[in-house]
Amino acid sequence: EMVMTQSPATLSVSPGERATLSCRASQTIIAGNLAWYQQKPGQAPRLLIYGASTRATGIPARFSGSGSGTEFTLTISNLQSEDFAVYYCQQYNNWPPWTFGQGTKVEIK
Amino acid sequence: QLQLEESGPGLVKPSETLSLTCTVSGGSISSANYYWGWIRQTPGKGLEWIADIYYSGRTFDNPSLKSRVTISIDTSKNQFSLKLSSVTAADTAVYYCASHNSGWYFDYWGLGTLVTVSS
């Protein structure tokens, strides 16, 4: 099973600043088979990024994904109040099973 | 746009079988473009993929659940279902149904339903 490790667990950022979230895979991911999700309290996860860097429909351009191999990054530029949430990465390279990271909480500094 | 909604009992007794149904609207569950899946979330283990099913009935499940999982599909009702047998307190979680389209990421999710395992 591929293990996904996210860091940091919590990130304190001021509105308007940039947040950089990391996701490390225990094995090499090919073809960018990695997704990012945002989850707010009481809500389901929402797809932000797939293919490591492609924004899902309706996702603002301030969200960007990058990386390859075992190291991936989600960057949120110019943080807005609605961006404070928990973010998860998910690999869909090695199956079964599909696996998620444990999440990074982005909180207001 | 697809909408998914989970339904089922919120309380299940230990050793019994958890049963949930996901109703899909805004699209056909028989679409060749989609796989349909179940994911659960607990404070301790985070998000855990449980199983997937295709309209043809082809299924995949998480080996960690040790064959306790049955996933099925009813194309006439535009629904798919999950059964998890021999539940314990560790199966207490929010259960989500979701879809895969063109890639193995989850593009649409239901709102989730809390299932508590307790006597």
Side-chain angles (χ1 to χ4, degrees), chain A residues 8-89:
Chain A
T10 303
L11 188 59
S12 299
V13 187
S14 299
E17 293 188 339
R18 173 181 295 182
T20 302
L21 290 66
S22 295
C23 176
R24 174 177 292 177
S26 62
Q27 303 168 48
T28 298
I29 291 177
I30 61 172
N33 290 328
L34 183 115
W36 289 93
Y37 302 86
Q38 176 194 67
Q39 186 177 33
K40 297 179 180 179
Q43 297 185 16
R46 171 196 184 197
L47 178 66
L48 295 176
I49 301 281
Y50 62 91
S53 61
T54 302
R55 281 188 301 276
T57 303
I59 301 304
R62 64 180 182 272
F63 291 90
S64 62
S66 62
S68 63
T70 61
E71 302 283 345
F72 296 86
T73 300
L74 174 69
T75 302
I76 313 170
S77 303
N78 186 22
L79 265 161
Q80 304 295 299
S81 58
E82 61 266 30
D83 300 335
F84 293 97
V86 181
Y87 292 85
Y88 296 93
C89 60

Side-chain angles (χ1 to χ4, degrees), chain B residues 98-110:
Chain B
S99 64
H100 298 277
N101 176 23
S102 76
W104 291 105
Y105 48 87
F106 298 95
D107 47 5
Y108 293 99
W109 297 64

